[in-house]
Amino acid sequence: MNIARPLLAACALAMAPARAVEPPLPLWEAGVFGGTAVTPAYPGASERSTRSLALPYLIYRGKVLRADRSGVGARLLDTDRLDFDIGFALSLPARSSDVPARRGMPDLGTLVEFGPRLKIKLAEPTQRSRLGLELPLRAVIEARGGLRRQGATFEPRFVYALQGEQQAWHVDASAGAVLGNTAINDYFYGVSPAFATGQRPAYAAKSGLMLTRLGLGGSYRLHPDWRAFAFVRYDTYTGAANRASPLLRQNNGTSAGIGLMWTWQRSSSLARGAED
């Protein structure tokens, strides 16, 4: 929900799959990516966080098991227009001491999300462009002093993807929404009576719309082993189910980030039947 998701999503642009007219890609690649992003401390926060992240990465383009631009998961259905898989996502923690609206409340922990996703190809205007609809439904698990279920999210979005010859560059534009059940909305926006103050009244969150989102990201190959990526994202909380929460402080929020990806090793064998 915060820094890791947009930064990892932007890095994923560098893992864009080949089109049918492109040569097959290696079955696997390994390396390191790193970047810096500025985002709201949590959805709707008035405070912003600037963080840098550096992690090893592995791309595996198997026909069923995959680790690529979409995350880590298993492809269960793959047709010309439909793709159904199980995927994962990660969000990094936020300390309540850094956010005046949450001061004295429990910190927001690392969130691991996983669940099924249906991808529908709506149109392919050219050989190098595609319009699709993604429908991911994810359970949210907090890893902080153990594992705790914190609800579920549904994040439908339209994605328009365009890439250059030989994958020299790749651009994604997206528009969508994030909806949460009562548990995840209460995790971000609920205030129990024990943490209520004169400026932060008790509030019981409800299920529904968390935000609507516009995003733009891209990557560019600088060298066979180096690729740069960047993203910008705009979220609006107009119409959100929990606008009345004392923890939802903004009408909108923006995020942006840049980074580099270095490929250390790649396989000599090629992926077969693993194109998106």
Side-chain angles (χ1 to χ4, degrees):
M1 295 291 175
N2 48 41
I3 177 69
R5 174 173 290 181
L7 191 55
L8 292 171
C11 173
L13 291 166
M15 306 178 189
R19 307 296 296 172
V21 297
E22 303 289 0
L25 292 171
L27 178 62
W28 60 265
E29 299 178 45
V32 177
F33 82 88
T36 298
V38 180
T39 70
Y42 62 88
S46 54
E47 291 74 28
R48 302 176 65 78
S49 296
T50 300
R51 296 190 190 175
S52 296
L53 185 68
L55 290 173
Y57 79 84
L58 173 68
I59 301 172
Y60 181 77
R61 301 181 178 96
K63 190 171 180 63
V64 177
L65 297 177
R66 299 170 63 83
D68 60 12
R69 70 188 298 264
S70 302
V72 179
R75 173 172 283 177
L76 306 179
L77 171 68
D78 181 17
T79 70
D80 183 54
R81 303 194 68 86
L82 297 177
D83 187 351
F84 182 76
D85 62 15
I86 302 295
F88 296 81
L90 172 71
S91 297
L92 294 183
R95 292 192 300 268
S96 293
S97 59
D98 296 334
V99 183
R102 291 189 58 86
R103 195 156 290 153
M105 297 183 66
D107 294 336
L108 300 175
T110 298
L111 298 179
V112 180
E113 304 175 47
F114 68 93
R117 176 182 56 181
L118 178 64
K119 295 193 292 185
I120 305 169
K121 183 172 71 175
L122 301 177
E124 200 163 24
T126 69
Q127 288 185 324
R128 303 185 187 283
S129 64
R130 177 182 298 184
L131 175 65
L133 173 64
E134 297 185 2
L135 303 170
L137 177 64
R138 293 187 176 122
V140 183
I141 305 296
E142 181 189 26
R144 182 170 60 90
L147 300 178
R148 287 184 293 275
R149 175 77 178 271
Q150 296 292 1
T153 62
F154 178 52
E155 192 172 346
R157 64 175 193 149
F158 292 97
V159 181
Y160 179 74
L162 178 67
Q163 72 176 26
E165 292 186 12
Q166 302 297 315
Q167 301 185 67
W169 54 269
H170 185 95
V171 174
D172 274 357
S174 62
V178 180
L179 299 96
N181 66 357
T182 301
I184 189 61
N185 276 332
D186 195 64
Y187 180 74
F188 284 112
Y189 305 120
V191 179
S192 69
F195 297 109
T197 68
Q199 292 73 41
R200 186 175 63 207
Y203 181 82
K206 55 187 176 181
S207 63
L209 179 69
M210 298 178 72
L211 56 90
T212 53
R213 171 173 292 161
L214 297 175
L216 179 65
S219 73
Y220 183 78
R221 188 174 61 220
L222 304 171
H223 178 273
D225 294 332
W226 288 90
R227 184 173 287 266
F229 58 86
F231 78 92
V232 62
R233 194 176 72 184
Y234 174 80
D235 295 340
T236 176
Y237 309 101
T238 302
N242 294 285
R243 279 297 309 163
S245 169
L247 302 179
L248 209 170
R249 309 296 293 270
Q250 296 287 92
N251 293 322
N252 54 70
T254 58
S255 304
I258 58 173
L260 287 172
M261 181 176 178
W262 172 58
T263 300
W264 172 55
Q265 295 284 342
R266 53 175 60 86
S267 68
S268 57
S269 56
L270 302 176
R272 301 294 181 184
E275 292 81 2
D276 269 15

